[in-house]
Amino acid sequence: TGYNYDYSKEARWDRDLLLDPAWEKQQRKTFTAWCNSHLRKAGTQIENIDEDFRDGLKLMLLLEVISGERLPKPERGKMRVHKINNVNKALDFIASKGVKLVSIGAEEIVDGNAKMTLGMIWTIILRFAIQDISVEETSAKEGLLLWCQRKTAPYKNVNVQNFHISWKDGLAFNALIHRHRPELIDYDKLRKDDPVTNLNNAFEVAEKYLDIPKMLDAEDIVGTLRPDEKAIMTYVSCFYHAFSGAQKAETAANRICKVLAVNQENEQLMEDYEKLASDLLEWIRRTIPWLENRTPEKTMHEMQQKLEDFRDYRRVHKPPKVQEKCQLEINFNTLQTKLRLSNRPAFMPSEGRMVSDINNAWHGLEQAEKGYEEWLLNEIRRLERLDHLAEKFRQKASIHESWADGKEVMLTQKDYETATLSDIKALIRKHEAFESDLTAHQDRVEQIAAIAQELNELDYYDSPKVNARCQKICDQWDTLGSLTHSRREALERTEKQLESIDELYLEYAKRAAPFNNWMEGAMEDLQDMFIVHNIEEIQGLISAHEQFKSTLPEANKEREAIQGIQSEVQRIAAQNNIKLSSSNPYTSITPQSINSKWDKVQQLVPQRDHALQEELERQQSNDHLRRQFANQANLVGPWIQNKMEEIGRISIEMDGTLEDQLNHLKQYEQSIINYKPNIDKLEGEHQLIQEALIFDNKYTTYTMEHIRVGWEQLLTTIARTINEIENQILTRDAKGISQEQMHEYRASFNHFDKDHSGTLGAEEFKACLISLGYDVENDKQGDAEFARIMGIVDPNNTGFVTFQAFIDFMSRETTDTDTADQVIASFKILAGDKNYITADELRRELPPDQAQYCIARMAPYTGPDAIPGALDYMSFSTALYGESDL
């Protein structure tokens, strides 16, 4: 059992079984060379294996050299008994090493029995050269054979199945050497049909470069049907021991390569994180000033273009950045998990690129973004209002200017100086009518001034032009007032000299002027521009218009009455043969102008009806858009909220393996992604609403901004939840946690996570530990142990423990990971047990890229045994694990 090899099969030397003469020759040469390869270390040699071991002295010396132990003091006498005693001491020592000697006695060795002597040497070779060879839980002969098969497997024409005929063509010997020292043999030039050349080449190279003496003759091997197995095994074992150092170096190099590969992968992940973080921060830095710019444009078109740019930002430019930010957090968490699992120090991004820095910058972006859309819409409303007011100002100003045209000339004429009494009275009445008209226009002038003032207050871009026009109207109005007062005084002075006026003309003039003004006001109102934002407002205008139409019959009666006055004048004049002047001396308002304006009012009423009806239809269409958006939003909003709650439930459920949960979550994520067309549809409906300048929606509490934020949070949450499961799988696999253990950890964690928050408070975590058998009760020792554990699972003192931190703790103290000491030991092997290593040694033992990786990062070695170019592999190894700085 164990390494106690049963030598009875290999070492039995049956007296009745004679050795093949060819085998005996091979064994004699091989065993002699093998013994001398060890005896020369003690300064002696043997020439005849039968004779030189007969006195037992060199036999005992050989055993001391190969075992490294001292044997009992030999007897120096020449007598046979002394020789037998020495040989028996040697045989006893061999037996003490667990070797069962069969058919070998001291007397036969002393008598020079060749077969017994060769059998004894073979027993020694088995015990001290072959027994300790172990490959994949096989030992001794089987282990040595497996080692040969492994090393020669890649070579053509080599198939090692035994220790006799598999070696006859010499290719197996050459393959062993080439595998470990390829520079010594040009294997491709060897020919299978030239075994003697092959064997001699291998024997000579082994003796010259590997310090393995020539133990076989090529001609003897080729000339025998089946080479001696023991001779071949003895010789091959020398190759094994010669290359065992290379084995250790290869193992050490593999360990170092594995560690360096982890570091190189982690460094690449760090570089990727730094670049992604820099790009994202730079995008945020460029975007925030744009969102913070609240400089208004002068025209509706320019502001609507700003709104369209903002829509592109929300729908085209920002969503990929939301994904980048989420991916950055996932990459950061995955990297930290890999570093923790490989026993490396945590990754600290460069200053300003921490996840918290990115979150702060993102918060700044959202703060800048907040209110920007509202500001744009308010500005559009303001400009819409401004355009409406400006047009209204121009319309009223044009009407007033049209009315005022020529009034100054009229008021400054001296017609009253040559007029008759009746003319004077007519002029006075006409002037009174004008004053009435002037008073009626006072309201319009005040409206014009008020509109100009409002345009100024709303910062209308063309205010200077508006102000100049308004000032001109006001100045003209003041002038008209002054001229009116002066003319009245002149007429009143003359009135005392005048008599009688025509009452009918006067009455006509008095009634015609207000009615004419009413018609002008009605025409102005009927042509007045309007702006509404909902059905209620347009219905109010329609109602007011209907009320106006209801007054038309009374107005028509007044018109007929005024026309009746004129008819009465004509009748009286006709009856009394009075010659009338061509016009009413008291007013310029003719019956024809009244009828013309009345006809105009009659035309404008249906036009107003049509305009109001069109606006009503537009508002009904807007209401339809509101309902259409609300119906979709009232489905999408609760759907998003429901999915958020479902993700929370899924993340704490324990159905199936972690892979099952991961697949479930990924399927769930795909179903969420498949829902994206509904968000896009809602975005399209929202755009229609904004294009229709709809600013409120009474049918839903959800705004597009709420939906966007909820959607972004949903995508981020599912991605983070998937990443948590992936990290749990990484932790499970790296820590060797079974599915049952992971299920137990999750069940314990969920049991105490009463609020389903995904975290445990300190007291909840303590209760969880107690349920798992940890001694953290409320005593001094328990409190100290709990404080130690909390320091591990909550290093930032947040007061909460995540599930990831929980499973890290539950597995970390039993995990077998590579350490700095292991890496140092591996480098020490490659360095030939030196305290430093050279660049040439690194290039020889490691792949080129990993060798260069070490050379570029290792500090010069400064110890007392340093040589030029010596490199410090110890500080490099500790730095890999954060125990020192490179």
Side-chain angles (χ1 to χ4, degrees):
T1 60
Y3 287 107
N4 293 322
Y5 184 75
D6 182 4
Y7 293 90
S8 60
K9 297 179 182 179
E10 303 287 355
R12 181 179 292 112
W13 214 258
D14 195 326
R15 295 177 183 272
D16 299 326
L17 180 62
L18 295 176
L19 286 173
D20 183 315
W23 287 7
E24 181 175 349
K25 179 181 180 183
Q26 291 175 20
Q27 288 182 12
R28 183 180 296 277
K29 179 176 179 61
T30 302
F31 292 177
T32 299
W34 185 87
C35 291
N36 283 334
S37 70
H38 294 286
L39 287 172
R40 68 186 179 189
K41 299 176 184 177
T44 186
Q45 296 278 282
I46 63 171
E47 294 186 13
N48 189 320
I49 202 166
D50 304 340
E51 296 296 328
D52 291 350
F53 284 140
R54 291 178 63 183
D55 60 4
L57 294 176
K58 288 187 177 180
L59 179 59
M60 294 178 70
L61 181 60
L62 174 65
L63 290 172
E64 286 185 346
V65 171
I66 62 178
S67 68
E69 300 181 28
R70 298 289 295 178
L71 270 70
K73 186 176 182 180
E75 298 180 17
R76 299 291 181 179
K78 301 291 185 177
M79 299 177 63
R80 176 179 174 81
V81 66
H82 297 140
K83 297 178 181 180
I84 291 175
N85 287 339
N86 287 339
V87 173
N88 274 327
K89 289 177 181 179
L91 296 178
D92 290 342
F93 179 77
I94 295 171
S96 72
K97 297 302 179 181
V99 178
K100 183 179 180 181
L101 296 171
V102 179
S103 302
I104 299 177
E107 292 82 358
E108 292 164 308
I109 303 301
V110 172
D111 291 340
N113 186 319
K115 298 181 181 61
M116 293 301 107
T117 302
L118 290 174
M120 176 189 67
I121 297 304
W122 171 240
T123 301
I124 293 171
I125 292 171
L126 272 177
R127 173 59 184 83
F128 293 103
I130 298 175
Q131 175 184 338
D132 293 335
I133 297 173
S134 176
V135 179
E136 288 194 357
E137 301 181 0
T138 63
S139 59
K141 177 181 177 181
E142 291 82 359
L144 183 59
L145 184 62
L146 180 58
W147 179 79
C148 294
Q149 290 170 339
R150 289 281 180 81
K151 294 301 179 180
T152 60
Y155 293 87
K156 63 182 180 179
N157 298 324
V158 177
N159 183 16
V160 177
Q161 297 297 326
N162 49 55
F163 286 111
H164 36 80
I165 60 174
S166 294
W167 303 82
K168 280 192 68 174
D169 59 11
L171 291 178
F173 288 111
N174 282 278
L176 273 182
I177 297 172
H178 185 269
R179 180 64 182 271
H180 294 90
R181 296 288 298 278
E183 76 279 6
L184 300 180
I185 289 178
D186 187 351
Y187 185 84
D188 292 334
K189 290 185 177 180
L190 301 177
R191 292 166 42 208
K192 187 173 180 66
D193 59 358
D194 191 2
V196 173
T197 300
N198 297 341
L199 290 165
N200 283 328
N201 181 66
F203 298 162
E204 290 168 5
V205 168
E207 187 169 36
K208 182 176 181 181
Y209 296 104
L210 304 179
D211 199 26
I212 299 175
K214 186 176 181 181
M215 298 183 181
L216 299 168
D217 285 325
E219 292 76 8
D220 291 341
I221 293 176
V222 174
T224 185
L225 184 63
R226 181 174 183 263
D228 179 62
E229 186 177 50
K230 297 177 179 60
I232 299 293
M233 279 182 67
T234 300
Y235 191 37
V236 170
S237 70
C238 293
F239 282 91
Y240 175 86
H241 291 294
F243 293 133
S244 62
Q247 287 282 107
K248 293 179 181 178
E250 182 179 346
T251 301
N254 287 338
R255 176 183 289 275
I256 291 170
C257 288
K258 176 184 174 184
V259 171
L260 294 180
V262 170
N263 264 63
Q264 288 171 312
E265 180 185 0
N266 291 340
E267 286 181 5
Q268 185 60 50
L269 290 174
M270 293 175 191
E271 289 178 12
D272 292 345
Y273 173 88
E274 291 281 351
K275 183 178 185 307
L276 188 56
S278 296
D279 292 347
L280 185 57
L281 288 170
E282 175 61 20
W283 177 81
I284 294 173
R285 185 191 65 77
R286 295 195 313 269
T287 305
I288 287 178
W290 174 68
L291 292 171
E292 289 178 339
N293 180 12
R294 298 293 199 271
T295 304
E297 301 295 342
K298 293 182 178 180
T299 66
M300 278 278 288
H301 174 73
E302 291 172 321
M303 287 305 296
Q304 285 173 335
Q305 183 58 51
K306 273 184 175 267
L307 181 61
E308 188 62 32
D309 292 343
F310 181 70
R311 289 197 193 106
D312 286 344
Y313 159 77
R314 289 308 304 265
R315 295 170 58 187
V316 178
H317 302 297
K318 186 182 178 186
K321 298 303 177 183
V322 173
Q323 294 299 318
E324 285 182 19
K325 176 177 176 291
C326 178
Q327 190 61 47
L328 193 70
E329 294 177 4
I330 290 173
N331 291 353
F332 181 82
N333 292 335
T334 301
L335 174 58
Q336 298 292 36
T337 299
K338 288 186 175 183
L339 290 171
R340 184 171 62 253
L341 295 178
S342 58
N343 203 20
R344 303 301 196 276
F347 169 53
M348 287 295 293
S350 57
E351 186 175 356
R353 293 184 177 87
M354 296 284 290
V355 172
S356 59
D357 296 323
I358 293 168
N359 286 334
N360 290 337
W362 192 265
H363 179 69
L365 176 74
E366 292 180 334
Q367 287 296 110
E369 183 182 308
K370 186 178 182 182
Y372 184 68
E373 185 175 28
E374 183 180 352
W375 172 78
L376 287 172
L377 293 174
N378 286 336
E379 276 300 305
I380 289 174
R381 292 177 194 169
R382 184 180 72 83
L383 289 174
E384 181 187 35
R385 172 70 175 160
L386 282 174
D387 287 350
H388 172 71
L389 286 175
E391 184 59 31
K392 194 168 186 176
F393 172 84
R394 288 189 287 271
Q395 186 184 64
K396 288 186 177 294
S398 296
I399 293 172
H400 175 79
E401 288 165 349
S402 177
W403 172 85
D405 185 38
K407 293 295 190 291
E408 289 185 38
V409 175
M410 183 269 291
L411 290 172
T412 56
Q413 63 185 351
K414 303 294 184 179
D415 53 346
Y416 55 86
E417 293 179 351
T418 58
T420 64
L421 181 60
S422 61
D423 291 336
I424 290 300
K425 289 188 175 290
L427 289 175
I428 290 174
R429 298 299 182 268
K430 181 178 180 181
H431 189 70
E432 288 174 351
F434 172 75
E435 287 181 324
S436 177
D437 195 15
L438 187 67
T439 301
H441 276 78
Q442 174 73 31
D443 183 57
R444 182 178 292 113
V445 173
E446 291 175 355
Q447 288 179 15
I448 290 171
I451 293 172
Q453 179 63 29
E454 188 171 359
L455 286 171
N456 276 287
E457 291 173 355
L458 292 176
D459 195 23
Y460 181 54
Y461 76 95
D462 207 13
S463 287
K465 189 174 179 180
V466 170
N467 292 338
R469 190 172 184 183
C470 180
Q471 187 62 47
K472 183 178 179 181
I473 290 172
C474 291
D475 291 344
Q476 185 187 39
W477 183 256
D478 292 340
T479 301
L480 289 176
S482 177
L483 292 174
T484 300
H485 179 70
S486 299
R487 181 171 176 82
R488 182 173 184 82
E489 288 180 345
L491 290 174
E492 286 177 349
R493 283 195 305 270
T494 310
E495 184 185 18
K496 296 177 182 178
Q497 304 169 9
L498 303 177
E499 297 176 356
S500 114
I501 61 171
D502 190 340
E503 291 296 336
L504 286 174
Y505 272 156
L506 182 58
E507 184 181 357
Y508 174 91
K510 287 184 176 181
R511 294 182 69 172
F515 185 72
N516 183 70
N517 196 61
W518 175 85
M519 287 192 297
E520 289 180 347
M523 287 190 292
E524 185 177 349
D525 290 341
L526 288 171
Q527 297 178 85
D528 190 24
M529 298 174 64
F530 57 83
I531 179 170
V532 296
H533 296 98
N534 53 54
I535 291 178
E536 290 76 11
E537 291 179 3
I538 188 60
Q539 286 175 339
L541 291 177
I542 292 173
S543 176
H545 183 60
E546 292 299 322
Q547 290 179 1
F548 167 76
K549 288 196 294 184
S550 69
T551 66
L552 290 177
E554 285 297 323
N556 191 40
K557 288 180 181 180
E558 177 65 11
R559 182 186 67 82
E560 291 174 347
I562 292 171
Q563 298 292 48
I565 294 173
Q566 181 66 22
S567 298
E568 182 64 17
V569 170
Q570 298 291 340
R571 187 185 66 77
I572 292 173
Q575 286 180 349
N576 298 285
N577 296 318
I578 297 172
K579 186 178 181 181
L580 299 173
S581 62
S582 60
S583 62
N584 190 324
Y586 304 113
T587 181
S588 61
I589 301 172
T590 66
Q592 292 77 17
S593 68
I594 288 176
N595 285 337
S596 175
K597 290 180 180 178
W598 178 257
D599 292 341
K600 180 67 174 176
V601 169
Q602 294 296 101
Q603 293 173 7
L604 290 174
V605 167
Q607 292 177 10
R608 184 73 167 182
D609 284 334
H610 180 69
L612 290 172
Q613 189 61 37
E614 279 188 343
E615 183 60 27
L616 176 62
E617 291 173 359
R618 190 176 77 86
Q619 290 302 326
Q620 288 173 338
S621 173
N622 288 354
D623 205 55
H624 172 71
L625 291 177
R626 289 187 181 96
R627 291 177 184 274
Q628 185 172 283
F629 176 84
N631 290 339
Q632 182 70 4
N634 289 338
L635 294 175
V636 172
W639 184 88
I640 290 175
Q641 181 62 34
N642 183 53
K643 293 302 177 185
M644 289 289 287
E645 294 172 358
E646 288 182 7
I647 292 171
R649 288 196 297 271
I650 291 174
S651 65
I652 62 173
E653 290 174 351
M654 298 179 293
D655 295 336
T657 65
L658 287 176
E659 284 77 6
D660 293 337
Q661 295 179 40
L662 182 61
N663 289 334
H664 186 192
L665 281 170
K666 286 186 175 179
Q667 293 171 3
Y668 203 76
E669 180 185 39
Q670 188 58 49
S671 72
I672 291 174
I673 293 172
N674 292 341
Y675 196 75
K676 181 63 163 56
N678 294 284
I679 306 297
D680 295 338
K681 178 182 177 184
L682 198 60
E683 283 283 6
E685 293 170 354
H686 179 250
Q687 181 171 347
L688 292 176
I689 280 182
Q690 288 198 332
E691 288 172 350
L693 297 179
I694 299 172
F695 304 111
D696 57 2
N697 194 337
K698 64 183 179 181
Y699 301 115
T700 182
T701 59
Y702 292 102
T703 66
M704 196 63 233
E705 181 63 22
H706 292 154
I707 298 296
R708 289 173 186 146
V709 171
W711 178 252
E712 291 171 1
Q713 288 178 346
L714 179 61
L715 291 177
T716 300
T717 300
I718 187 64
R720 286 175 176 164
T721 305
I722 288 174
N723 181 242
E724 288 175 3
I725 298 298
E726 289 173 338
N727 285 342
Q728 288 176 27
I729 291 174
L730 279 174
T731 302
R732 181 200 66 191
D733 295 342
K735 302 289 188 178
I737 304 174
S738 68
Q739 185 61 42
E740 291 74 17
Q741 286 177 305
M742 186 64 77
H743 187 277
E744 179 186 355
Y745 294 159
R746 173 52 83 181
S748 300
F749 190 90
N750 288 350
H751 177 76
F752 293 98
D753 183 14
K754 303 297 185 184
D755 59 357
H756 306 298
S757 64
T759 60
L760 297 181
E763 291 303 316
E764 292 174 329
F765 182 55
K766 177 182 281 190
C768 182
L769 289 175
I770 292 173
S771 73
L772 292 171
Y774 281 81
D775 185 11
V776 290
E777 296 289 351
N778 294 323
D779 54 36
K780 186 174 182 180
Q781 183 176 352
D783 289 343
E785 175 63 9
F786 183 66
R788 179 189 73 82
I789 295 173
M790 282 298 291
I792 295 172
V793 299
D794 183 25
N796 296 323
N797 296 320
T798 63
F800 296 97
V801 180
T802 65
F803 182 66
Q804 184 65 44
F806 174 63
I807 60 174
D808 282 348
F809 166 74
M810 293 303 295
S811 59
R812 64 177 292 172
E813 297 182 2
T814 59
T815 302
D816 182 20
T817 60
D818 58 90
T819 65
D821 289 341
Q822 291 173 329
V823 176
I824 290 173
S826 297
F827 272 117
K828 196 173 187 70
I829 292 172
L830 300 188
D833 211 33
K834 301 190 298 294
N835 293 323
Y836 59 84
I837 196 166
T838 66
D840 289 340
E841 288 171 330
L842 288 169
R843 292 190 184 99
R844 186 181 69 233
E845 301 292 348
L846 298 178
D849 60 331
Q850 295 193 329
Q852 191 57 40
Y853 178 86
C854 294
I855 294 168
R857 288 164 174 76
M858 281 187 183
Y861 176 72
T862 57
D865 54 341
I867 64 170
L871 298 174
D872 186 353
Y873 60 78
M874 294 185 184
S875 64
F876 172 78
S877 300
T878 55
L880 290 176
Y881 294 85
E883 299 173 16
S884 68
D885 296 326
L886 280 176

